Amino acid sequence: MTSTRRRLLILVAAVLVLAGVGTGVVLHAAARADRANRPQAGGPAVGAGTLTLDQKSRLVFVNGAAGPHRTAVASVPSAAPDGRRIASDLKCARFYAAAGTGVCLQSTTGVLKQSNRALLVDANLRTRRTFPLAGTPSRARVSPSGRLVAWTVFVSGESYSSAFFSTRTSILDTRTMRLTPSLETFTVVRDGKPYHASDINFWGVTFASDDDTFYATLNTANKTFLVRGSLSRRTVTTLAENVECPSLSPDGTRVAFKKRILSRTDLWHEYVLDLRTLKETALAERHSVDDQATWLDNHTVAYALPTEGKVGRSDLWSVRADGTGTPRLLIAGASSPAPL
Amino acid sequence: MYLTDRSAPVKAGTDRPRRRGPGRTVAPVVLVLGTVSLITDISSEMVTAVLPLYLVTTLGFSPLGFGTLDGVYNGVSALVQLTGGHLADRVRNHKLMAGLGYGLSALCKPLLLLAGSIGALGTVLALDRTGKGLRTAPRDAMISLSTPAARQGRAFGVHRAMDTTGAMLGPLAAFLILRAAVDGYDAVFGVSACVAAVGVLVLVLFVPGRRHGPKTDEAVGDAADDAADEAVVADGRQPVRVREALALLRLPQLRALAGCAALLGLTTVSDAFVYLLLQRRAGIGEEWFPLLPLGTAAVFLLLAVPVGALADRVGRRTVFLTGHAVLLTGYALLLWAPATPALPVAVLALHGTFYAATDGVLPAALAAVVPDRLRASGLALVGTSQALARFCCSLAFGAAWTVWGDGPALAGSAIGLLCCAGVASIVLRPAESSR
């Protein structure tokens, strides 16, 4: 009896201590979240302003700098990327825009699950349409004309212990508002023959200027392929192996992509593939790039790299697309670049 | 996921002990172990719920990066379970082994914070799974050994119901924390570690050590057990691990149960595929996909105790087989039922009933078959064979899906399940009288 009482006392004491620790941890994190929403000394200048997607010579991105505009879509002059940032009210996990059409992938935390959605926005960043997403936002793209929009989410309704993970890539025709919920319904042609598998995953769409052709990553049987697809014919054809997150150059001749440099590891280097000759060129970036790059012009690509020493923050870098030169810090505390 | 872990199916459950009528006869140890499982599952499902988000949004892993982390631990975990079960019997201290398992998993929670790379993260998750594998069989053995033979089903039902309650509360807790602290994944992991520590503490303080229980004796004591005891007496002095497991396999009833569990496991489509098929057939919005396992868990939670008690009355093998018949009905609905709003409800209800009728009932059925001193080994043996069979089924089902498409693949599994259930009902029938 005494022994039971003593054990109960120990338990109560321990629970009190642990509850205190737990509360402290949560309060600490909450305070940090608060700080992230306050501007920091030495941080970049960010101010609210009018941001439209039909402005020329500007670069839009998702602002990652601490302050009230963190995660807001912001823009800077292309010629002065370290200049004052103009931030909008639109907050996104991932964003892309072209020719007056924007797509914003959002993720909010609900009570039982996270709630994810894609917003199709017009040039004034007003929401035209909302689409529920099946998972965590990963990639977003708009075709050069602004007509087609694609997004990839990472689907996981299961625990890390289950052999189940999946990506889902959707394409929206903004003129007809017709949504292709999953590219997995498309016919796959591999080495000239129709290919079927249950483990097919697509991600990282990039569009050509004809509003039909697209490139994407196809993953099956532990391999990744660059595929060229046709939206109207609902087919994709494999072109090259070990190509992820392609990004088509403005002139349509090359794709920048990340290549896994050692099998079964998560180290990727950024390359450019000439679509005519299928010749690969390694870019000068020596860090592992895990992003879908964006072409700033026909000679330069931009991509996000994790900020050293800061978990959960990234910076935008740029490098020449011909393999020469050295990487250059484009915008600190930013992600999802899109040149207007 | 919110349910029991497929790789080691004889364990997670949950329970809500209902004190109704004459049913207040669950041993205190079962309630304590149920409490430990409840607390531990809150802790582990907190992490599970936010881990993908954390990987993708905070660490910036791409989907494929996460994919390489995934699904490599299944076989390992099953083998660890075997080791844990055997070691618990060998050192004659189930509490110690279970405590080590719970403790190891608890230690992994804060380590998650330090693991910034895929490799480090994979190691931490593997350790966590090892802890889970280690504790399963000793814990079930303790439940089994503390309960008279006639009430095993109810005892396991109570434990599984408590376990599932924790699994359902975990994500709730995690998302509440994330709402209080945006991007507060470290807070989720920290709180999860504290919760896990409470679980370990409850185990250490309130679960009696060593073998215990005056009730233990009545739990055994039928003819089968005597035979079993004889079989192990021969090499009962510290035999080699594999030897001992093999000796257990000489018990006809254990062999029958292990064989049937494996056979049925071979045709039990993994939960992920069931939800995927259901989502496709019923046209459920993709954003609701993560909630489907909750439906199964809720039904499991509600039925675990009554079905466990029913198993005690009408026979555990009967209920175990009926559970598979229920699952078969679920497959049939998935294959042929029209896509009405009632379809998902019906399929999830059948799926949850299947878990209620099998997850705790199988170990309950083993109580009368495995001698006390090898209880944990016996439970682990059956659990492992079932887990490995289900793992093979996943691989085969994926291949069948590729070749034939989802519908025919499921039809194939259903036919397989029908055949296996037929065989199992013949194999298990003669033993029926002894339950």
Side-chain angles (χ1 to χ4, degrees):
Chain A
M1 195 59 205
T2 338
S3 144
T4 305
R5 179 171 295 173
R6 199 167 57 222
R7 279 180 288 171
L8 272 174
L9 270 177
I10 296 175
L11 180 68
V12 169
V15 165
L16 286 178
V17 170
L18 289 167
V21 172
T23 310
V25 167
V26 173
L27 290 179
H28 174 77
R32 189 192 50 210
D34 269 355
R35 269 200 310 281
N37 288 332
R38 283 200 303 269
Q40 262 180 340
V46 192
T50 312
L51 191 166
T52 65
L53 299 179
D54 41 23
Q55 288 168 317
K56 288 293 166 210
S57 306
R58 289 188 77 84
L59 188 61
V60 309
F61 54 91
V62 172
N63 178 40
H69 303 292
R70 204 175 63 90
T71 75
V73 172
S75 82
V76 289
S78 301
D82 53 353
R84 184 185 155 80
R85 305 177 183 190
I86 294 176
S88 69
D89 294 334
L90 184 66
K91 297 205 164 189
C92 313
R94 190 94 197 178
F95 182 81
Y96 197 81
T101 300
V103 57
C104 166
L105 306 187
Q106 292 180 329
S107 187
T108 51
T109 303
V111 175
L112 279 177
K113 65 182 182 79
Q114 54 177 147
S115 161
N116 304 296
R117 51 192 199 150
L119 307 182
L120 175 69
V121 299
D122 65 16
N124 296 314
L125 299 184
R126 281 189 304 248
T127 304
R128 288 177 62 193
R129 193 86 175 244
T130 304
F131 301 87
L133 298 179
T136 308
S138 175
R139 307 285 182 233
R141 246 359 175 222
V142 178
S143 70
S145 71
R147 173 171 176 179
L148 299 178
V149 173
W151 58 76
T152 301
V153 300
F154 161 63
V155 184
S156 156
E158 303 278 308
S159 83
Y160 55 82
S161 59
S162 73
F164 182 72
F165 109 97
S166 174
T167 59
R168 190 133 333 160
T169 295
S170 314
I171 294 182
L172 173 74
D173 186 329
T174 63
R175 202 167 299 169
T176 61
M177 284 296 168
R178 198 179 147 207
L179 178 72
T180 303
S182 171
L183 284 186
E184 285 163 42
T185 55
F186 280 28
T187 308
V188 179
V189 178
R190 180 179 167 185
D191 305 327
K193 290 185 286 277
Y195 176 80
H196 299 281
S198 65
D199 67 347
I200 284 180
N201 279 294
F202 287 99
W203 64 85
V205 165
T206 181
F207 291 105
S209 50
D210 62 0
D211 280 336
D212 183 54
T213 305
F214 64 91
Y215 297 84
T217 315
L218 161 67
N219 172 248
T220 181
N222 288 322
K223 287 183 179 163
T224 57
F225 299 91
L226 173 68
V227 293
R228 178 175 16 224
S230 162
L231 193 57
S232 59
R233 291 200 300 275
R234 298 175 61 81
T235 62
V236 300
T237 309
T238 60
L239 294 181
E241 204 179 313
N242 198 3
V243 172
E244 288 180 54
C245 294
S247 177
L248 191 64
S249 62
D251 61 15
T253 59
R254 291 156 293 162
V255 292
F257 67 98
K258 65 189 181 94
K259 174 177 180 165
R260 192 177 287 250
I261 50 172
L262 201 59
S263 69
R264 307 199 69 77
T265 64
D266 293 284
L267 283 179
W268 291 274
H269 278 175
E270 199 64 24
Y271 280 72
V272 165
L273 176 79
D274 188 308
L275 287 170
R276 211 163 31 82
T277 61
L278 292 186
K279 186 175 163 292
E280 289 175 1
T281 308
L283 302 193
E285 177 60 71
R286 298 326 290 165
H287 288 94
S288 177
V289 178
D290 186 0
D291 190 19
Q292 184 172 23
T294 300
W295 293 75
L296 297 179
D297 53 48
N298 273 320
H299 311 288
T300 320
V301 296
Y303 47 87
L305 282 183
T307 308
E308 225 155 293
K310 285 199 178 164
V311 173
R313 220 182 93 141
S314 67
D315 303 320
L316 289 178
W317 291 74
S318 68
V319 71
R320 287 183 61 82
D322 59 4
T324 65
T326 50
R328 193 166 69 84
L329 180 65
L330 187 67
I331 308 175
S335 59
S336 290
L340 295 182
Chain B
M1 54 171 292
Y2 304 99
L3 287 181
T4 73
D5 177 354
R6 279 187 301 284
S7 56
V10 190
K11 53 174 171 270
T14 16
D15 54 82
R16 176 192 296 175
R18 279 215 235 143
R19 315 230 158 172
R20 223 177 26 185
R24 351 180 335 138
T25 46
V26 175
V29 179
V30 175
L31 292 179
V32 175
L33 285 172
T35 308
V36 173
S37 289
L38 189 154
I39 296 170
T40 304
D41 258 47
I42 293 179
S43 161
S44 59
E45 293 299 327
M46 278 174 75
V47 171
T48 301
V50 303
L51 195 68
L53 258 166
Y54 171 67
L55 293 177
V56 175
T57 62
T58 302
L59 293 187
F61 288 172
S62 60
L64 192 68
F66 181 67
T68 59
L69 259 188
D70 219 22
V72 284
Y73 309 121
N74 285 301
V76 179
S77 157
L79 296 177
V80 168
Q81 192 185 349
L82 210 51
T83 313
H86 174 74
L87 283 180
D89 284 338
R90 177 177 275 196
V91 302
R92 291 165 183 279
N93 197 336
H94 294 131
K95 181 182 172 181
L96 177 70
M97 286 312 296
L100 284 177
Y102 281 111
L104 183 59
S105 292
L107 281 178
C108 287
K109 303 306 189 286
L111 286 182
L112 278 174
L113 280 177
L114 306 175
S117 71
I118 287 258
L121 208 68
T123 311
V124 173
L125 295 182
L127 281 176
D128 183 66
R129 309 277 304 141
T130 305
K132 195 161 191 173
L134 276 181
R135 70 190 180 232
T136 301
R139 183 201 61 207
D140 277 357
M142 283 191 278
I143 295 172
S144 182
L145 291 172
S146 64
T147 304
R151 290 202 281 270
Q152 295 274 332
R154 177 190 295 274
F156 276 102
V158 167
H159 175 267
R160 298 311 195 239
M162 291 179 78
D163 188 277
T164 305
T165 306
M168 291 180 80
L169 291 177
L172 200 69
F175 284 119
L176 285 176
I177 291 173
L178 283 188
R179 290 180 72 155
V182 177
D183 291 337
Y185 298 99
D186 51 348
V188 174
F189 298 153
V191 172
S192 168
C194 292
V195 174
V198 173
V200 175
L201 206 64
V202 172
L203 177 93
V204 170
L205 289 176
F206 295 101
V207 174
R210 293 279 161 163
R211 297 292 195 94
H212 41 72
K215 290 180 205 127
T216 313
D217 289 335
E218 39 175 307
V220 237
D222 58 4
D225 253 84
D226 294 342
D229 276 327
E230 271 172 44
V232 287
V233 156
D235 44 9
R237 301 145 296 166
Q238 281 245 327
V240 188
R241 160 182 325 169
V242 182
R243 265 269 191 82
E244 193 153 11
L246 289 179
L248 266 178
L249 278 178
R250 286 212 292 272
L251 306 175
Q253 293 206 40
L254 180 76
R255 209 164 49 207
L257 274 172
C260 288
L263 202 59
L264 291 165
L266 272 177
T267 45
T268 305
V269 176
S270 85
D271 297 353
F273 286 126
V274 171
Y275 300 135
L276 209 54
L277 278 162
L278 180 59
Q279 193 225 327
R280 289 188 176 193
R281 286 295 142 105
I284 297 167
E286 287 174 344
E287 69 275 23
W288 302 113
F289 185 74
L291 293 185
L292 293 181
L294 275 180
T296 303
V299 176
F300 182 18
L301 173 71
L302 290 175
L303 294 184
V305 179
V307 173
L310 181 72
D312 287 338
R313 236 176 316 140
V314 304
R316 293 173 197 116
R317 291 169 169 83
T318 310
V319 169
F320 182 70
L321 288 172
T322 309
H324 285 86
V326 168
L327 182 66
L328 202 55
T329 316
Y331 288 175
L333 286 186
L334 270 180
L335 282 168
W336 295 300
T340 63
L343 177 64
V345 177
V347 170
L348 292 179
L350 292 170
H351 198 229
T353 308
F354 159 70
Y355 271 103
T358 54
D359 194 68
V361 171
L362 180 62
L366 285 166
V369 176
V370 186
D372 280 17
R373 47 195 318 245
L374 288 175
R375 188 63 53 86
S377 305
L379 288 167
L381 200 63
V382 175
T384 299
S385 44
Q386 189 183 39
L388 289 179
R390 286 190 179 176
F391 184 59
C392 293
C393 175
S394 283
L395 298 180
F397 190 82
W401 184 319
T402 298
V403 179
W404 300 322
D406 53 358
L410 183 65
S413 308
I415 293 167
L417 180 57
L418 190 62
C419 298
C420 292
V423 173
S425 65
I426 293 166
V427 172
L428 294 180
R429 175 152 302 159
E432 191 78 35
S433 56
S434 70
R435 286 197 201 161

